């Protein structure tokens, strides 16, 4: 029996206004009846209205980042509790775009994940190596260090999803070889097993992200230790996103 239900999560990044809710409604209608879990992490500004509009049968709405504190003097920031209030059920943390542009460290990512879990939400913790690190043969070392330090002690298979996203594969149309993805995912699961025990490791979902499209998804999803995908560009269009869900 498959212990892990696949999750296809879309990451809309800084794209989408109230007009875009029509595209989300198409996904909401089309995705009913699928076995997989489906989420869309949209801009904070449309979470609330999107939640009012969707059917709540299958599609779950999420966010892409939060502050690690619940409230306070943090101008411009939004907490997990506030995103929950708006209707988010799942929040991405540690995306490489935030690690790189906002200098988010593993420790910050860890604190954010704690605040999300304590708000009774799910978190997707992203990790991944740069092209330079890959070329130096450091991929496993880098992603394992990130995972070990970004995943809080309170993480378990219900509140946490891991997303392996090679930075050089994001938005580039390039992906690692299937064998490379397989090796990294195996390594990550064995690390989760070491930290959390075999039972949690067997049930925790590890997604692949980075240029996932309908035409490359099958080989990726066929891998035992890949439990779905975090999808950027291809999640913005209902047909492309549904194409990936169909493959899954
Ligand atoms: P991409 O982005 O699918 O456009 O490569 C993935 C991500 O950034 O999560």
């Amino acid at each position: 029996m498959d212990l892990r239900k696949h999750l296809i999560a879309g990451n809309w990044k800084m794209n989408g206004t109230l007009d875009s809710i029509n595209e989300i409604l198409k996904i909401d209608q089309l995705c009913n009846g699928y076995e997989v879990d489906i989420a869309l992490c949209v801009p904070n500004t449309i979470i609330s209205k999107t939640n009012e509009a969707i059917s709540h049968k299958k599609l779950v709405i999420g966010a892409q980042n939060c502050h690690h504190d619940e409230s306070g003097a943090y101008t411009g920031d939004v907490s997990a509790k506030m995103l929950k209030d708006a209707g988010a059920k799942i929040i991405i943390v540690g995306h490489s775009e935030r690690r790189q542009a906002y200098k988010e460290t593993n420790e910050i990512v860890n604190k954010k994940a704690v605040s999300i879990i304590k708000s009774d939400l799910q978190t997707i913790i992203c990790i991944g190596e740069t092209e330079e690190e890959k070329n130096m043969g450091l991929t496993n070392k880098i992603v394992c260090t990130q995972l070990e330090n970004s995943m809080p002690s309170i993480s378990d298979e219900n509140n946490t999803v891991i997303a392996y996203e090679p930075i050089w594969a994001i938005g580039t149309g390039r992906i690692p070889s299937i064998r490379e993805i397989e090796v990294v995912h195996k390594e990550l699961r064995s690390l989760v097993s070491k930290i959390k025990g075999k039972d949690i490791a067997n049930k925790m979902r590890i997604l692949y992200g980075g240029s996932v499209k309908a035409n490359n998804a099958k080989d990726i999803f066929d891998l035992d230790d890949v439990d779905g995908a975090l999808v950027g560009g291809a999640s913005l269009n209902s047909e492309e996103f549904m194409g990936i869900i169909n493959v899954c």
Side-chain angles (χ1 to χ4, degrees), residues 66 80 84 91 109-125 150-156 158-161 196 204:
C66 67
K84 182 181 182 179
I91 305 178
V109 174
N110 190 311
K111 280 193 196 174
K112 290 183 180 203
V114 168
S115 75
I116 293 165
I117 294 167
K118 286 193 169 162
S119 301
D120 288 324
L121 300 176
Q122 273 192 315
T123 183
I124 300 177
I125 302 175
S150 303
M151 184 173 60
S153 56
I154 55 172
S155 274
D156 64 24
N158 298 314
N159 58 32
T160 301
V161 175
K196 302 275 175 200
M204 190 176 278

Side-chain angles (χ1 to χ4, degrees), residues 11 13 95 165 169-171 210-212 230-233:
N11 172 12
K13 309 191 180 184
H95 191 282
E165 299 202 301
I170 294 175
S211 294
V212 176
L230 183 56
V231 183

Side-chain angles (χ1 to χ4, degrees), residues 99-114:
R99 288 181 186 263
Q100 291 190 321
Y102 299 94
K103 307 279 172 273
E104 288 189 7
T105 60
N106 292 322
E107 289 65 35
I108 291 173
V109 174
N110 190 311
K111 280 193 196 174
K112 290 183 180 203
V114 168

Side-chain angles (χ1 to χ4, degrees), residues 13-222:
K13 309 191 180 184
M14 198 172 72
N15 297 291
T17 54
L18 291 177
D19 291 347
S20 320
I21 294 177
N22 285 331
E23 201 61 24
I24 300 175
L25 288 179
K26 283 188 212 163
I27 295 169
D28 183 44
Q29 285 188 349
L30 292 168
C31 75
N32 286 326
Y34 283 84
E35 276 293 308
V36 291
D37 286 338
I38 301 167
L40 271 183
C41 297
V42 298
N44 296 346
T45 46
I46 65 170
I47 291 175
S48 181
K49 283 267 189 253
T50 303
N51 248 306
E52 281 171 25
I54 61 170
S55 66
H56 294 277
K57 284 186 188 147
K58 184 87 205 170
L59 181 66
V60 159
I61 298 301
Q64 306 160 19
N65 176 46
C66 67
H67 193 275
H68 61 262
D69 264 352
E70 205 174 274
S71 62
Y74 302 106
T75 303
D77 273 314
V78 174
S79 69
K81 191 179 167 193
M82 292 155 86
L83 292 167
K84 182 181 182 179
D85 195 39
K89 305 267 185 310
I90 186 162
I91 305 178
I92 298 170
V93 291
H95 191 282
S96 59
E97 285 152 16
R98 295 208 60 89
R99 288 181 186 263
Q100 291 190 321
Y102 299 94
K103 307 279 172 273
E104 288 189 7
T105 60
N106 292 322
E107 289 65 35
I108 291 173
V109 174
N110 190 311
K111 280 193 196 174
K112 290 183 180 203
V114 168
S115 75
I116 293 165
I117 294 167
K118 286 193 169 162
S119 301
D120 288 324
L121 300 176
Q122 273 192 315
T123 183
I124 300 177
I125 302 175
C126 301
I127 53 177
E129 83 285 3
T130 64
E131 185 152 32
E132 201 184 358
E133 289 161 346
K134 173 188 161 56
N135 292 339
M136 290 195 295
L138 294 174
T139 300
N140 283 357
K141 186 166 178 272
I142 295 289
V143 296
C144 285
T145 304
Q146 287 177 336
L147 180 58
E148 208 166 354
N149 295 302
S150 303
M151 184 173 60
S153 56
I154 55 172
S155 274
D156 64 24
E157 72 275 19
N158 298 314
N159 58 32
T160 301
V161 175
I162 309 297
Y164 167 55
E165 299 202 301
I167 297 172
W168 54 274
I170 294 175
T172 59
R174 297 161 57 209
I175 62 166
S177 71
I178 295 304
R179 174 75 188 137
E180 283 169 334
I181 298 175
E182 182 179 33
V183 168
V184 174
H185 278 246
K186 265 209 165 72
E187 188 75 18
L188 292 172
R189 195 169 308 281
S190 98
L191 179 62
V192 176
S193 181
K194 227 184 273 172
I195 302 170
K196 302 275 175 200
K198 213 169 164 193
D199 187 48
I200 290 182
N202 281 337
K203 293 181 191 154
M204 190 176 278
R205 293 182 286 193
I206 306 178
L207 313 183
Y208 168 78
S211 294
V212 176
K213 308 271 181 274
N215 61 11
N216 62 17
K218 182 173 186 312
D219 291 344
I220 300 171
F221 294 154
D222 275 349

